[in-house]
Amino acid sequence: MQPEIVSRRRKRYLAQVEKSVTVLFAGSAPHRTGDQKYPFEINRNFFYLTNLDQENMVLVMIKGKAAIREMLFIEEPDPVMALWVGDVMSKEEASQKSGIAVEDILYLKDLNKILSSYLQVSRNALYGEITNCYLDLERRQMDDVPLDGNRFAYKIRDNYPHVNIHTCYNILANMRLYKDKSEVEEISKAIAITNKAILKMMDESHADIYEYELESHFDQVLKANNTTVSFKSIAAGGKNATILHYEDNNCLIKDNELALFDVGCLSNHYASDITRTFPVNGKFTPRQKEIYEIVLEANKKSIEFLKPGVTWQEFHEYGKKILTDGLLRIGKIKDPKEIGKYYYHSLGHSLGLDVHDVGHLEEPIREGIVVTVEPGLYLADEKIGIRIEDDILITEDGRINLSKDIIKEVSDIEKYMSK
């Protein structure tokens, strides 16, 4: 991603906040056990504004009375540690990637001192008295372990009680919801790799294969393309496919059973999220095909239904009705209210730097948003679970199916697997 892109994002962000200091943390890998850490995951809001993917960095943006300043704080090089784990990113490299001037890239040891110079009660000639501090205060549950932004909020509160603490999460969420060309390109790259990996699983599929065996073929393609999964893969055969977030992936898929794979990968941290369902022996039974065609109809028609102005509720109810009508038509249910036995999730979500990306469900779907369309039917009593999911870009007057090349027609799946 070009540094000009993230530079423009920072300007757009600063235009939306009042006179303030904004502090964003890259994060760090938490301790796992012994001398091991969990794999590091960059804070997505930090990455969105910097294009940097390294732990122990801090972005500081000052918006004052008559001036704006951007600063990046990074780890100081340590020649001894470099022998063990390699060099940390240099000031020059960080500047090239982020678009922040080299002279404004400083070392972490100076962070508190420099922040203090802006937050003290006395006025600064260029910036004036700053009484607002914006932090990423994302928190899903009250009992969650506090993240860097939350912990730093306590420090500001205790040391600078005159400073008002605000969250920048909602501002950045609204910015991230609408994807620019570079973001759509990254999502498309992730989808293309996912397509290769799904075809590889179809290539290797056969009766009496374990879920994890098929999953391993997906993982191998990702590894060969220097990427990783965007979420823990769902590899579910037979009745397991009726469990929405099944993740054990350790059971045998028998002859005449379907395999449901809800999978995705990353391209420069942008995610794909695709679900495909296919028979492990390469041939749908008549009953499987009957249910599959209902889900496929809901998938295709719901994609065509999408356009700017449609609400999330309208979108969900539209797809749900197609599934309901399908089950009524074949006699699986007698009353529309029974659909809840066989379909129990929403029709889709926004997609981007997070798989379940930031968004505002109370607002209509608009141009520039990437959404998933993922209807499903889950008939545990028949050991049939089917979901078909695509990734869709909303355009000015409609939509583009970014995953249209991933086969999903019954005839295409059977033809491909017959080879």
Side-chain angles (χ1 to χ4, degrees), residues 80-129:
V80 175
M81 287 301 297
L83 297 174
W84 289 84
V85 297
D87 291 323
V88 295
M89 191 178 295
S90 68
K91 290 185 177 182
E92 292 72 20
E93 185 181 1
S95 176
Q96 290 171 2
K97 290 185 174 183
S98 68
I100 297 173
V102 174
E103 58 268 25
D104 285 324
I105 299 181
L106 310 165
Y107 292 128
L108 283 170
K109 63 182 177 64
D110 297 319
L111 173 63
N112 289 338
K113 180 178 69 175
I114 291 176
L115 275 177
S116 296
S117 69
Y118 290 100
L119 294 175
Q120 59 185 317
V121 176
S122 59
R123 294 176 179 271
N124 179 292
L126 280 176
Y127 296 93
E129 183 182 1

Side-chain angles (χ1 to χ4, degrees), residues 188-214:
S188 297
K189 290 176 186 177
I191 290 170
I193 296 171
T194 305
N195 187 15
K196 293 179 183 178
I198 289 173
L199 291 178
K200 178 64 173 176
M201 289 193 293
M202 289 184 178
D203 290 338
E204 302 296 336
S205 180
H206 57 79
D208 299 322
I209 188 170
Y210 279 94
E211 294 162 340
Y212 59 76
E213 290 183 83
L214 280 177

